[in-house]
Amino acid sequence: MFLETMQLTFLLAFLTMIILLPIGIVMGGYFYYARGLGRLILEVLVWLPLVLPPTVLGFYLLLALSPTGFFGKFLLEYFGIKLVFSFEGILLGSVIFGLPFMIQPIKAGLSSLPSYLTEASFTLGRGKVYTLFRVLLPNIKPSILIACVGSFIHAVGEFGVVMMIGGNIEGVSRVASVAIVDEVEMLNYPLAHQYALTLFAVSFVLLFVMLYINKRFLNDRT
């Protein structure tokens, strides 16, 4: 049970990171280029998971994805897909909740670049898409790596959204953060400690790597 739960936890975190990476690049580029009220509204929506309790987001996702909700009913009737209490459902919730952890480092990395890079590319007749992918992104590889590590760490430890959408189904939606609470309620402290210590060790190592990259990057730029 322990190995199955940990495999599911890391699979969820890895897939969340992979899905978020192209989204983070595109939206980071949009925030870098865009101006106006539309950008501000979209930024507020993206940053909401940072200030909302996870259970709030999880509750509304549960309502939207349930077979009685508009979106959930549509998916079930036309595609035969049921997202609540499924791995796909917790993956969707993890992606939505992890958006700011991927987008923010990429946006910050783009904003830290000197403006002459963009101006020189535009002067040579290159468009925004070419400039983003061929000029700007190659210069913020550390920021992209930090975004990937940060979103992975966050997905590993996510509890509220996953619990609300997926419940605690072994082999389907039972991730380590949910398993810890379940084992504590059953007074199975040794297994709860095993889960907690594993998450602590993995998070410590990945956070160390992220901070080391950040420090090394800042030193190289100064």
Side-chain angles (χ1 to χ4, degrees), residues 96-112:
I96 293 174
F97 199 63
L99 273 174
F101 296 91
M102 179 64 76
I103 295 174
Q104 177 57 28
I106 295 177
K107 177 193 170 188
L110 291 173
S111 299
S112 68

Side-chain angles (χ1 to χ4, degrees), residues 1-126:
M1 182 184 300
F2 172 79
L3 291 178
E4 183 181 48
T5 301
M6 295 309 305
Q7 287 174 357
L8 190 67
T9 301
F10 293 133
L11 177 63
L12 175 66
F14 177 75
L15 292 179
T16 298
M17 179 187 70
I18 294 300
I19 294 172
L20 279 175
L21 179 57
I23 297 174
I25 289 174
V26 171
M27 296 193 70
Y30 170 78
F31 289 141
Y32 175 75
Y33 286 126
R35 300 291 183 270
L37 183 61
R39 168 189 162 170
L40 180 60
I41 294 174
L42 186 58
E43 278 194 284
V44 170
L45 293 175
V46 168
W47 307 146
L48 267 180
L50 290 176
V51 296
L52 278 178
T55 49
V56 173
L57 180 60
F59 173 69
Y60 284 113
L61 284 175
L62 178 63
L63 292 181
L65 301 178
S66 67
T68 57
F70 173 77
F71 187 62
K73 185 177 180 180
F74 172 80
L75 290 177
L76 188 60
E77 288 184 356
Y78 291 94
F79 300 98
I81 299 175
K82 182 182 178 182
L83 290 180
V84 291
F85 306 119
S86 69
F87 179 79
E88 293 78 10
I90 63 175
L91 178 59
L92 176 61
S94 182
V95 167
I96 293 174
F97 199 63
L99 273 174
F101 296 91
M102 179 64 76
I103 295 174
Q104 177 57 28
I106 295 177
K107 177 193 170 188
L110 291 173
S111 299
S112 68
L113 294 176
S115 59
Y116 67 77
L117 289 176
T118 303
E119 294 168 357
S121 180
F122 288 170
T123 301
L124 294 174
R126 304 301 185 181

